Amino acid sequence: DVKVTQSSRYLVKRTGEKVFLECVQDMDHENMFWYRQDPGLGLRLIYFSYDVKMKEKGDIPEGYSVSREKKERFSLILESASTNQTSMYLCASSPPLAGISDTQYFGPGTRLTVL
Amino acid sequence: GIQVEQSPPDLILQEGANSTLRCNFSDSVNNLQWFHQNPWGQLINLFYIPSGTKQNGRLSATTVATERYSLLYISSSQTTDSGVYFCAVERNRDDKIIFGKGTRLHILP
């Protein structure tokens, strides 16, 4: 079974703090994704990466950056957390060519609250 | 937990044809989204549609929340429409999003 783990299930930070959300997958997947899920807005893509050291902006990259130094790890960084970044953050990974359905594997999510 | 079923699982059409994809869910939901997964695995949000009808170009979607289903219509299909289409629901606020298994659409040139 593919396992995607996220460093924290719940996180509380203060406005202005630098926040790191870590995601690790154990299936040697090339592709990794960061989403946020918000009531009334659903799931939205923040950033994704097709390979080590590669990154691409998703729908809502503003206020975020990412790091992919190793294939198994994809980090989401909030340089200066703001209250509007309070959300559920979901990490996912997938093999390079999605030839079958449900090939995107999600982590359990991190609920971040920024005070 | 809530079950999300999509049909058909696979669909092969000629370019220019129209198609209808269906998503049934077993309980009332707070949110529903349709996604297109491209061959590189990226999920592209198509519609956020907990109820009602929305249209975006050749795509439209209708959700009948009282009857627990949603339909995605694709008109005048193009080869770039190929890929897997997922329906995803959220039962209550703050619940984890639950995906159906998807419909794999293959548009032939």
Side-chain angles (χ1 to χ4, degrees), chain A residues 31 33 35 37 39-43 45 48 50 90 94 96-104 106-108 111, chain B residues 30-31 33 35 37-43 45 48 84 86 90 93-97 99-104:
Chain A
N31 302 334
F33 308 87
Y35 298 88
Q37 182 183 359
L41 296 172
L43 200 68
L45 180 65
F48 58 100
Y50 289 148
L90 291 162
S94 72
L97 290 176
I100 56 175
S101 57
D102 73 9
T103 54
Q104 183 146 147
F106 280 82
R111 178 157 297 285
Chain B
N30 200 40
N31 299 321
Q33 281 180 275
F35 294 90
Q37 185 178 42
N38 66 19
W40 295 272
Q42 181 187 351
L43 281 179
N45 181 40
Y48 176 80
V84 184
F86 289 102
E90 186 182 312
R93 180 181 170 143
D94 295 345
D95 274 358
K96 186 170 180 176
I97 195 164
F99 283 79
K101 291 191 179 296
T103 292
R104 189 188 329 175

Side-chain angles (χ1 to χ4, degrees), chain A residues 21-72:
Chain A
L21 301 183
E22 304 286 345
C23 175
V24 178
Q25 50 94 4
D26 65 359
M27 280 300 290
D28 203 35
H29 283 169
E30 278 76 6
N31 302 334
M32 296 188 75
F33 308 87
W34 273 108
Y35 298 88
R36 63 178 283 178
Q37 182 183 359
D38 300 288
L41 296 172
L43 200 68
R44 294 178 293 166
L45 180 65
I46 305 171
Y47 265 98
F48 58 100
S49 169
Y50 289 148
D51 204 347
V52 176
K53 296 193 184 296
M54 292 183 66
K55 60 184 179 183
E56 296 287 341
K57 292 180 179 179
D59 298 324
I60 50 163
E62 296 78 19
Y64 303 94
S65 62
V66 290
S67 173
R68 185 106 182 259
E69 295 297 318
K70 293 184 178 181
K71 192 175 186 179
E72 67 270 20

Side-chain angles (χ1 to χ4, degrees), chain B residues 10-69:
Chain B
D10 296 280
L11 187 58
I12 302 174
L13 296 172
Q14 285 295 142
E15 197 167 26
N18 301 329
S19 58
T20 300
L21 282 58
R22 187 176 180 103
C23 172
N24 291 337
F25 40 96
S26 61
D27 207 339
S28 58
V29 298
N30 200 40
N31 299 321
L32 186 144
Q33 281 180 275
W34 282 99
F35 294 90
H36 176 209
Q37 185 178 42
N38 66 19
W40 295 272
Q42 181 187 351
L43 281 179
I44 300 165
N45 181 40
L46 298 176
F47 293 103
Y48 176 80
I49 185 167
S51 64
T53 297
K54 290 186 179 179
Q55 179 150 11
N56 184 4
R58 295 181 296 104
L59 275 60
S60 65
T62 295
T63 296
V64 183
T66 53
E67 297 185 22
R68 299 179 187 168
Y69 74 89

